[in-house]
Amino acid sequence: MPASERLGSHLKQAEQALNATKTAVLKPAGLTVAQYAALLHLAEHPGISAAALARLCGVTPPTMNTVLKNLQDRDLITRSPHEWHRNVLETRLTDEGRAVLAGADTAAVRVERALAAEFTEAERDALTGLLARCVRVLEEQRPGSA
């Protein structure tokens, strides 16, 4: 099957284009896409563990630990032991982290809005439904998923 007929190739190209554009617009804030995603999810889920944050961001736990270390070194987050589970660190945004996220989010939202504007509401609904079906089928095809 030629690459041009493989849906995976088209999905990968779209993902790479989105990632490259977000990388460029987040650069002035000094954030990577992974760091931005972590800050965004931390804003919505204060105190979340690194493992849970890794799952939300779609990265491995070791990668998330590196992301969090870099954010902590910049004083954008704090990490403290959980009240009951001392081996679990709760992660929260600092005031500086919220400020950096606000600026970065403005740039990222512009990208998302430009992308969304290319489609009618019906097309966006269809696209998100089709992508959800892609995820479902691919998860079903993954060995050991049954």
Side-chain angles (χ1 to χ4, degrees):
M1 172 186 281
S4 63
E5 294 178 15
R6 296 176 190 224
L7 290 178
S9 293
H10 295 285
L11 289 169
K12 186 66 174 175
Q13 286 175 339
E15 178 194 29
Q16 287 175 327
L18 178 61
N19 197 42
T21 301
K22 282 193 174 179
T23 295
V25 302
L26 294 172
K27 190 174 185 174
L31 295 175
T32 65
V33 173
Q35 290 170 338
Y36 166 73
L39 293 176
L40 188 64
H41 286 295
L42 283 168
E44 294 178 1
H45 307 283
I48 191 170
S49 70
L53 189 57
R55 286 189 293 277
L56 285 174
C57 293
V59 298
T60 64
T63 297
M64 183 51 63
N65 282 328
T66 300
V67 167
L68 293 176
K69 182 187 179 321
N70 291 332
L71 292 173
Q72 191 171 20
D73 288 349
R74 289 184 56 195
D75 294 322
L76 301 181
I77 62 166
T78 61
R79 302 185 77 195
S80 57
H82 187 277
E83 184 178 347
W84 304 307
H85 305 288
R86 292 294 175 194
N87 58 339
V88 173
L89 293 176
E90 292 185 321
T91 307
R92 298 182 189 281
L93 295 177
T94 62
D95 289 341
E96 178 67 14
R98 280 186 281 283
V100 169
L101 173 60
D105 198 41
T106 298
V109 166
R110 270 196 303 271
V111 171
E112 293 286 348
R113 286 190 175 142
L115 181 58
E118 285 298 308
F119 302 96
T120 66
E121 184 177 353
E123 288 172 329
R124 285 190 303 273
D125 290 346
L127 180 58
T128 56
L130 292 168
L131 290 171
R133 281 175 45 198
C134 288
V135 170
R136 180 185 50 79
V137 168
L138 292 169
E139 286 177 348
E140 288 172 354
Q141 292 299 309
R142 188 179 310 135
S145 66

